[in-house]
Amino acid sequence: MPDTAVPSGSGLSFCTASRVRKAARLVSQIFDRHLERYDLTITQFGLLAYINTFDGIGIGDLAGKLVMDPTTVTRNLRPLQRRGLVALAADPNDRRARRLHLTADGRAALKDAKPGWSKAQREVEAALGDADTAALHATLDRALAKLSA
């Protein structure tokens, strides 16, 4: 188990960003470990899932939904495009705009990786317990809503 303690007197002991980022890294490591066998990271899995749900979404809109910078989304999409899992196509209504679509291989990769995602989800829920998982989700949902306002 990593030492996640914050040095006292460092000012970091009250830092919300530090706590949230450490928790996010630990959760990401669990998901990445379970998705590794599918040659995906949790970020890539998330991109595939969002594109599957919002077929034809633009990079800017996808970045907004993920609360990411569009250049970061583009950088994370490149390996998926190289593998033929995601296609970027011209919008038929506006040739200047590009739209994201999963390829057949992308849909298959997402479907194949769902058991790994489910195992990771169960591991996190088991570590936190049902009550803390529900409380964490509720707290994060409220924080996202308030911070996005």
Side-chain angles (χ1 to χ4, degrees):
M1 164 95 49
D3 179 10
T4 59
V6 177
S8 62
S10 67
L12 293 177
S13 59
F14 298 105
C15 182
T16 302
S18 178
R19 281 186 165 88
V20 170
R21 291 174 63 106
K22 286 194 300 186
R25 283 192 291 270
L26 287 171
V27 170
S28 292
Q29 289 168 7
I30 292 168
F31 277 87
D32 284 347
R33 184 169 22 89
H34 286 281
L35 291 170
E36 184 177 26
R37 69 183 310 168
Y38 306 99
D39 197 25
L40 291 172
T41 65
I42 187 55
T43 300
Q44 292 169 334
F45 181 89
L47 287 169
L48 292 176
Y50 267 86
I51 295 167
N52 187 56
T53 301
F54 301 103
D55 183 53
I57 194 169
I59 290 176
D61 288 337
L62 179 59
K65 289 185 180 299
L66 295 169
V67 191
M68 292 174 74
D69 184 83
T71 57
T72 303
V73 171
T74 299
R75 186 176 61 249
N76 283 286
L77 282 170
R78 283 191 190 121
L80 299 173
Q81 288 175 288
R82 280 193 300 271
R83 290 176 53 193
L85 305 180
V86 173
L88 190 60
D91 184 328
N93 299 321
D94 181 356
R95 303 300 286 175
R96 297 168 296 170
R98 301 277 182 228
R99 301 289 172 200
L100 293 162
H101 305 276
L102 289 189
T103 64
D105 287 345
R107 286 188 296 280
L110 180 61
K111 182 180 177 185
D112 290 347
K114 277 193 179 173
W117 177 89
S118 293
K119 284 181 183 176
Q121 185 70 24
R122 287 192 305 272
E123 182 177 331
V124 171
E125 289 171 355
L128 296 177
D130 292 341
D132 281 349
T133 298
L136 177 63
H137 289 181
T139 299
L140 290 173
D141 289 345
R142 282 192 309 277
L144 288 166
K146 289 178 179 180
L147 293 170
S148 298

